[in-house]
Every structure is written in structure tokens, then in C-alpha cells.
Amino acid sequence: MNILVTGGAGYIGSHTVIALLESGHRVAVVDNLSNSCEKSLERVQEITGENIPFYPVDIRDGDGLRKAIKSFGEETGQKFDCCIHFAGLKSPNESIRLPLDYYDNNINGTLVLLDVLREHGCKNLIFSSSASVYGDPAVIPVTEECPKGQCTNPYGWTKSMLEQILTDMHTSDPEYNIVLLRYFNPLGAHKSGLIGEDPNGIPNNLMPYITQVAVGRRDELSVYGDDYDTPDGTGIRDYIHVVDLACGHVKALQAIERKCGVAVYNLGTGRGYSVLEVVRAFEEANGIKVPYVIKPRRAGDVAVSYSNPAKAERELGWKAKFDIVDMCRDAWNWQRKNPDGLKCEEN
């Protein structure tokens, strides 16, 4: 397939581009580089040996998207068969402070993207959704049948609303095939150590915070809340290796090929780990002590969330292969080889 990947220079996007190329697909990337940089794609090309057409366009820029799609057609003589849509702001906690930014970027941007794709006859889309659509889950482990809940932050609402918008598109036009992939918490990095999670500023996610402490960029890890109703008081999440997550997108193309209509899949391991369990796993896997300090809970966090990923295994033949030790080792391999990240700010 010819696949347009929005946000393809980012953490999950760049790993997915590798998985797609290694599976024989042709890929082009659109990314505004707001939380990534072109160096990640250069390293993807180094890993795969493949040239990746890249268009530095914001998905809210309809004319820019049209020019990118036209350019791809002129260069290849082909059209896009599917779009894998990652582009969007992604911090639940930041979204509480900046709700308008999140609604504008994530929802308005997706509406512009969908309009342009429709103009060009592309009606197949895999959407980067999130377990946050379940809110504080009514059932643990979380299945796809678990009702979508009261989201705890604007980021979650953008994902939930976009799932509804995409579902409504299929209802209005059954030619659309939509796969909604509800991620749990990605960790780790490519085994080469050439690409990994490289956030701007203070990390919002757990593992890059841990690795930046381990490499000396930060003094200590902030653990938000030790008074949840969990065995050690810290929040429990389902952590999934980013390479497993990337492979899930390749497998999701099977659903597109069989004209799935609207299909929903959880991508997780089915196992929950607390924050302190992840810290201990990192220390044991890499022989490095990670100092931490307990701080008050963050707004929008829930106590426990982990998946039942059986549907993805049953229907797509997808199952997570890597465990928490693999995630910790690969994340550290990336960080120690790139102590200052990709230095995207120098671009």
C-alpha cells in the first residue's frame, strides 16, 4: 500500500514508519515538527535504507496538505491507499492548561485532513486513539466493549470526539474503512538506539523522565501521587513497547483490506505496572539508581488502567512480544547513546 503517515517524525510515528517499510509498504510523512524533528526521519532512512518523502506541513493547513499529496502523485504516479493519523498534541496534563490549543490542533486539524483526503479519494484511515477515551475505566482489564467514559482531560476528549466523527463518516458513507487503535502507554525504543522518545522540555511521560534522570539531565524523578488505591499507592498502567505498538499498525492494515467498516482495538500487554514497579524494573535492568520524590497527584490521572488485548490477537494476529525489562533496556540504550536527544531545537 501507499500510506500517508501524519506525525510520522514523532515517537510512535517514526517507529511505525520503520515497521511499514520493513513490511514492504511505501510511506510518505507529513509533520509540522512541533514536537519532533527531521533528524528522526533521517535516522529512519539510515535504519531502513529507504528514501522517505517528507512534507513539513501542519495538518490544519489544507493547501499545504493538497500540495503534499499532489507532489507525491507527481513523483510516484500513484495515490495514497490509506492514511495513518498520528499528528496531534498529546499531553493529558498540558491539555488541562491549554484546552483550546488541543481542540484546535487535534480536532480542527483532523477535520481539515479528512476533507483533503476525501477530495483525493482516500477513504481508509487508521487513527491513533488512546485508552484515555475510557476515562476512569468501568471494567479492569479494559476491553473494547467497556463503555467510553467521562474523559478526565481535554486530550482524552479530543480522542473520544474524533472517534465519533470518524464513525459518523462511515455511517454517512460506507465506503470508509476506519480502524481506531486505543493505545495504552508506549515505552522503549528501536533496538538500534537511533530513534526513541525525545520530548521537548520537561517530559510528561514516565520513561523519558526516568532516562533523563539516569543520564544526568535531571536531578530526580517526580512521582505524582502515592495515595491511590493500589498496592504501593502509585498509579498502575499498561506499558507497551513502542515497536510492538508500531507492529500493531501494520497488522491493522489487514482490517482495512477486508473492508472492516469501523473496527476498534486495544493495543496493550494486558499487564499493569505501578510507577514504582517501573522504576525498580529500570534500575534492575540497567544497574542504575533513579532518585525520585513524591509529589501531589496530577489532575486528570486515574488510579488503574490496563488492557485486555485479546481482540487484536484474535482478529489481527497481533500480540505484544516485549516485556517491561525489554522496554527499560531499549529506552536506556536510546538515551545513553543520545544523552541530549536529537537536539531538535538546533534544526
Side-chain angles (χ1 to χ4, degrees), residues 131-140 142 146-153 156-157 228-229 236-237 297 300-306:
S132 63
V133 302
Y134 296 115
D136 194 350
V139 180
I140 297 291
V142 183
C146 179
K148 289 170 67 174
Q150 188 74 13
C151 295
T152 58
N153 52 69
W157 280 120
Y228 289 103
D229 185 16
I236 291 175
R237 298 290 183 272
R297 296 185 188 188
D301 283 351
V302 300
V304 180
S305 178
Y306 61 92

Side-chain angles (χ1 to χ4, degrees), residues 95-135:
S95 75
I96 294 171
R97 293 189 295 104
L98 303 171
L100 292 182
D101 290 3
Y102 274 71
Y103 289 119
D104 176 45
N105 192 93
N106 294 8
I107 293 182
N108 181 39
T110 301
L111 292 176
V112 173
L113 171 69
L114 291 172
D115 195 40
V116 173
L117 291 174
R118 180 176 55 183
E119 290 175 10
H120 291 82
C122 182
K123 295 184 177 182
N124 298 319
L125 188 135
I126 297 173
F127 177 54
S128 168
S129 191
S130 166
S132 63
V133 302
Y134 296 115

